[in-house]
């Protein structure tokens, strides 16, 4: 099974990130026949509940039996600098704080799942220089297995300059790719099979896969709306179980295919369904929430139809004084999704959990500083 984020970027949870999976790792739900009004379900963890858990923590459940995650993609070094306001051309300004930290989509996500208690293995390539040595040592300290990473004796490791604007709460990334790039011949079949041995999930950040660019173009940029894009992807990739698109501070949308054998249900246009769910979503709750439809025949003129359901998740509301840096928020969200899949979470529980992981990461400088550990009191209500 593969989980991937399309439209590679420098880590921000921004509009247009996709996550998909091709097998049923979510709990099957029986097809119900009530009217559409009763086909909307809501799930949330309130802020008050989270705070009460902080004062009286409960023992956490056991970790998933199968928790090996194999991640393939790029890792970098991030040079971060916060500034009072983004500089104008030819300006000379001082930073208010700075940090040097490992980065790269797959490196950030695997760090996140390691802190959540999973066992990640990294497939990547880096040069044997100061940046590469630093990147690998940092990952290893967080519990990421880097023994399957190719270290080139020559070349340079990738790095990124990141300017964090305190005024607009945005970040600007200037990336320098590494050399030489990873080739399939760098990874012998015996090494690949060893890396995949016992793995529950494989995650690709697509930085090393040109095919994903084609997929993103065909399924996303040419669709007139987000729901239509998600429906098109499920139709063109019949083994895909679900697809998620992130919407930054507006949360996320998930389209999930119904289990095989689900009875025919009423038809509804996907754009209309999204509008209905958005009207019912709890946008006032500070903590992330989730609202879903029942399994229905989701359709769109000129596209087609499938049997499935739509789930809309909101993002956690972060006070302006607490919001530090959005770098790596998307990678943190994916880490939460990967944990949820391994733990057998329902979509209604998994999406708010992943949003909470992403929000925690936005409260510190860099893509990894704020990544929460499994024992974080804010995560405990989702794990019980």
């Amino acid at each position: 099974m593969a989980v991937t984020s399309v439209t590679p970027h420098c880590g921000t949870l921004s509009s247009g990130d996709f996550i998909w999976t091709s097998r049923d790792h979510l709990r099957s739900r029986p097809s119900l026949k009530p009217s559409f009004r009763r086909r909307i379900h809501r799930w949330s963890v309130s802020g008050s509940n989270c705070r009460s858990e902080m004062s009286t923590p409960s023992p956490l459940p056991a970790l998933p039996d199968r928790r090996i995650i194999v991640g393939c993609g790029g890792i970098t070094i991030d040079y971060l600098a916060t500034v009072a306001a983004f500089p104008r051309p030819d300006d000379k300004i001082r930073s208010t704080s700075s940090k040097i930290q490992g980065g790269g989509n797959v490196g950030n996500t695997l760090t996140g799942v390691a802190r959540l208690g999973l066992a990640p293995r990294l497939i990547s390539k880096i040069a044997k220089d100061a940046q590469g040595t630093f990147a690998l040592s940092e990952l290893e300290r967080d519990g990421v297995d880097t023994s399957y990473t190719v270290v080139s004796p020559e070349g340079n490791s990738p790095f990124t300059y990141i300017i964090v604007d305190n005024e607009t709460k945005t970040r600007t990334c200037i990336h320098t790719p590494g050399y030489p790039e990873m080739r399939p011949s760098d990874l012998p079949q015996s090494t690949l099979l060893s890396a995949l041995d016992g793995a529950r999930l494989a995650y690709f950040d697509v930085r090393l896969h040109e095919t994903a660019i084609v997929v993103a173009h065909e399924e996303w940029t040419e669709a007139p709306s987000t729901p239509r894009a998600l429906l098109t992807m499920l139709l063109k990739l019949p083994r895909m179980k679900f697809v998620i698109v992130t919407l930054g501070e507006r949360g996320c949308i998930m389209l999930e295919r119904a289990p095989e054998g689900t009875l025919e249900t009423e038809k509804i246009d996907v754009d209309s369904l999204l509008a209905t769910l958005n009207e019912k979503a709890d946008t006032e709750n500070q903590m992330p929430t989730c609202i879903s439809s029942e399994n229905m025949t989701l359709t769109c003129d000129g596209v087609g139809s499938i049997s499935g359901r739509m789930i809309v998740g909101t993002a956690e509301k972060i006070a302006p004084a607490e919001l530090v840096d959005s770098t790596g928020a998307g990678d943190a969200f994916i880490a939460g999704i990967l944990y949820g899949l391994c733990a057998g979470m329902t979509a209604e529980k998994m999406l708010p959990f992943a949003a909470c992981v992403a929000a925690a990461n936005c409260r510190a400088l860099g893509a990894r500083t704020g990544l929460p550990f499994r024992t974080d009191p804010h995560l405990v209500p989702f794990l019980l």
Side-chain angles (χ1 to χ4, degrees), residues 63-296:
L63 286 166
D65 291 334
R66 294 182 59 199
R67 54 181 181 272
I68 296 175
I69 303 289
V70 177
C72 179
I75 57 175
T76 72
I77 290 296
D78 290 344
Y79 296 93
L80 296 119
T82 61
V83 296
F86 196 82
R88 296 171 299 181
D90 210 31
D91 266 358
K92 291 183 179 181
I93 62 173
R94 291 179 180 271
S95 64
T96 57
S97 63
S98 61
K99 181 185 288 288
I100 300 175
Q101 188 178 68
N105 299 128
V106 74
N108 299 335
T109 296
L110 293 189
T111 299
V113 299
R115 294 186 185 183
L116 293 174
L118 303 184
R121 298 170 180 170
L122 172 66
I123 296 176
S124 189
K125 186 172 184 177
I126 206 149
K128 191 176 182 179
D129 54 11
Q131 290 97 328
T133 301
F134 180 90
L136 291 182
S137 63
E138 188 177 67
L139 289 166
E140 290 164 359
R141 285 197 301 272
D142 264 305
V144 178
D145 182 353
T146 66
S147 60
Y148 302 98
T149 299
V150 178
V151 180
S152 172
E154 300 177 345
N156 62 276
S157 299
F159 59 91
T160 304
Y161 295 114
I162 301 177
I163 303 172
V164 180
D165 185 344
N166 285 336
E167 182 179 40
T168 61
K169 302 296 183 179
T170 58
R171 89 286 181 271
T172 301
C173 302
I174 306 170
H175 180 67
T176 300
Y179 179 83
E181 294 183 351
M182 190 171 192
R183 305 293 182 189
S185 58
D186 289 329
L187 198 66
Q189 186 178 23
S190 58
T191 303
L192 176 60
L193 293 176
S194 178
L196 294 174
D197 184 37
R200 174 68 182 272
L201 296 168
Y203 162 64
F204 307 92
D205 71 4
V206 307
R207 192 168 291 276
L208 302 178
H209 301 270
E210 295 181 358
T211 304
I213 297 176
V214 177
V215 174
H217 180 268
E218 289 295 327
E219 313 300 350
W220 173 246
T221 60
E222 307 220 339
S225 71
T226 300
R228 293 186 181 198
L230 302 183
L231 182 62
T232 300
M233 294 180 76
L234 288 178
L235 285 168
K236 289 191 174 183
L237 300 170
R239 295 186 64 187
M240 184 186 294
K241 176 59 185 174
F242 67 78
V243 60
I244 302 171
V245 60
T246 58
L247 305 172
E249 63 183 12
R250 293 184 291 125
C252 65
I253 302 170
M254 174 176 174
L255 216 60
E256 181 186 23
R257 194 185 303 274
E260 290 186 11
T262 300
L263 298 177
E264 286 294 321
T265 55
E266 69 178 86
K267 292 184 179 181
I268 186 168
D269 179 80
V270 286
D271 289 320
S272 299
L273 179 57
L274 177 60
T276 300
L277 292 175
N278 280 335
E279 288 178 0
K280 296 177 178 291
D282 185 0
T283 58
E284 301 301 320
N285 199 327
Q286 178 183 352
M287 296 303 293
T289 64
C290 191
I291 186 168
S292 64
S293 72
E294 278 291 347
N295 284 320
M296 311 176 78

Side-chain angles (χ1 to χ4, degrees), residues 364-376:
L365 179 62
R368 301 181 186 174
T369 308
L371 286 171
F373 289 84
R374 188 167 179 265
T375 53
D376 188 306

